[in-house]
Amino acid sequence: MKYGSVCSGIEAATPVWHPLGWEPQWFSEVDPFPSAVLQHHYPHIPNHGDMTKFKEWNNDKTIDLLVGGTPCQSFSVAGLRKGLADPRGNLMLTFLSLADAKKPKWILWENVPGVLTSNGGRDFAALLTALGDIGYGWAYRILDANHFGLAQRRRRVWLVAHRSGDWQSAAGTLFDEQSLCWNPASSGRKRPTTSSTSTECLDEGGLQRSVGSICADSHPGSYTGQDAYSGRLISDYENFKVRRLSVKECERLFGFPDDYTKINWRGKSLDECPQGSRYKAIGNSWAVPCARWIGERINLVETIKNEQAIA
């Protein structure tokens, strides 16, 4: 699977899509620090910069998948909720134009849940209608990073679209029998605490590690719980203190390998890499395990379709 990424940020998907045999063809990121992180990890992949200038890109590579999470500030309930009236919201339409130009088989788009109600739901309806107009069948679903082994709640809308109006493939990616079964007994079950060693997230080596190690460089079991990144605080119960999460802990909250964002930046040493830039880049990224799960599901759907074609 060859893919192009827009609004790439620090690329949450590429570290976990590489083991699937997927290959990025290009990125599109304008923010200097995330762009430097991309250059550090993927020096051979071009970064085209401003996605609104995609017609000027010197790139004729075909892609099987277009992936991106256009800026969410205009749709967030914490923002001004200007929707498509905000230039940042209009990048959603640029994303559609790029999809129409490149005509990939698959599309993956991510945003905040507020996009579903922006402008009374009309903004999201415009996106879905436009996808249909350019030949895509679609499905969408809200996924929470907390259900994918991360020690934070981060609900996001994930939209998958498939060319030739094939909504079944899109739906088959985001939904399975287990997720469609309503189980009232399990809905009230207490979630495991972050000190549990059974919950797993990404590691640089085997790509799995216990979330219980998230505060291993502070005090075990000191993580406070939901929406940790938004407050970036944890409690040190032994010394009765509340402190800011370290950058490394935030990387773990999103499923990145330790020090993924620690780079030589503007001539400074690794230890001088600005923490503020690292916090912002991580907070604007995706939950890595969610991207991994969707990639695996797309692979599964592709395998099934190929087997059916052979039969």
Side-chain angles (χ1 to χ4, degrees):
M1 185 80 69
K2 299 182 184 300
Y3 62 94
S5 167
V6 298
C7 302
S8 305
I10 55 177
E11 264 305 295
T14 296
V16 287
W17 284 357
H18 179 72
L20 300 177
W22 294 16
E23 301 175 359
Q25 302 302 294
W26 42 261
F27 302 132
S28 171
E29 176 56 47
V30 296
D31 196 317
F33 182 78
S35 295
V37 174
L38 293 177
Q39 175 64 26
H40 174 79
H41 288 288
Y42 313 105
H44 303 299
I45 308 300
N47 178 7
H48 291 314
D50 189 351
M51 67 179 290
T52 65
K53 300 179 180 179
F54 72 88
K55 294 181 181 179
E56 303 172 15
W57 293 353
N58 183 22
N59 189 305
D60 58 356
K61 293 183 178 180
T62 60
I63 55 173
D64 305 302
L65 169 69
L66 175 64
V67 57
T70 50
C72 63
Q73 293 93 332
S74 61
F75 302 114
S76 173
V77 293
L80 297 178
R81 300 277 283 175
K82 291 185 178 180
L84 292 179
D86 187 318
R88 296 168 300 184
N90 265 306
L91 287 179
M92 183 173 79
L93 302 181
T94 302
F95 184 85
L96 285 165
S97 297
L98 179 57
D100 192 29
K102 292 293 184 180
K103 295 178 171 52
K105 181 189 296 186
W106 292 89
I107 290 174
L108 175 60
W109 183 82
E110 178 261 13
N111 218 292
V112 294
V115 73
L116 300 178
T117 56
S118 173
N119 193 22
R122 287 183 286 274
D123 291 340
F124 192 62
L127 169 63
L128 300 181
T129 300
L131 280 172
D133 289 343
I134 61 175
Y136 287 88
W138 45 262
Y140 66 90
R141 181 181 183 184
I142 294 179
L143 300 177
D144 191 339
N146 184 247
H147 299 151
F148 289 80
L150 295 184
Q152 67 156 320
R153 293 196 64 188
R154 188 175 178 85
R155 299 173 71 251
R156 290 294 184 268
V157 174
W158 296 82
L159 184 149
V160 174
H162 193 277
R163 194 158 177 79
S164 301
D166 184 5
W167 65 266
Q168 293 96 333
S169 292
T173 299
L174 289 177
F175 299 93
D176 54 22
E177 290 183 3
Q178 183 179 3
S179 65
L180 292 174
C181 291
W182 181 56
N183 188 345
S186 63
S187 63
R189 189 179 302 152
K190 185 178 180 181
R191 291 195 181 107
T193 64
T194 55
S195 61
S196 169
T197 57
S198 62
T199 307
E200 297 174 338
C201 61
L202 290 181
D203 197 327
E204 192 168 13
L207 296 182
Q208 289 186 334
R209 179 189 57 240
S210 165
V211 175
S213 67
I214 189 169
C215 298
D217 51 0
S218 56
H219 294 279
S222 59
Y223 172 66
T224 56
Q226 298 179 358
D227 299 319
Y229 182 79
S230 60
R232 294 202 293 268
L233 299 175
I234 63 173
S235 298
D236 176 353
Y237 292 119
E238 294 184 8
N239 297 309
F240 301 100
K241 296 178 182 178
V242 175
R243 66 169 177 82
R244 184 188 182 99
L245 280 172
S246 70
V247 178
K248 183 179 294 186
E249 289 164 347
C250 287
E251 288 172 334
R252 293 176 181 180
L253 281 178
F254 281 75
F256 285 102
D258 289 354
D259 296 328
Y260 181 83
T261 58
K262 193 174 185 179
I263 61 171
N264 293 110
W265 171 240
R266 293 180 173 173
K268 297 183 178 180
S269 67
L270 287 176
D271 292 334
E272 295 175 312
C273 187
Q275 291 198 356
S277 297
R278 295 177 68 189
Y279 278 124
K280 179 182 177 182
I282 297 165
N284 286 336
S285 190
W286 293 356
V288 177
C290 292
R292 174 176 59 186
W293 182 78
I294 292 177
E296 291 171 346
R297 294 289 302 176
I298 290 176
N299 253 11
L300 177 61
V301 170
E302 282 285 292
T303 299
I304 294 173
K305 288 173 69 70
N306 290 337
E307 290 176 349
Q308 290 175 342
I310 294 174

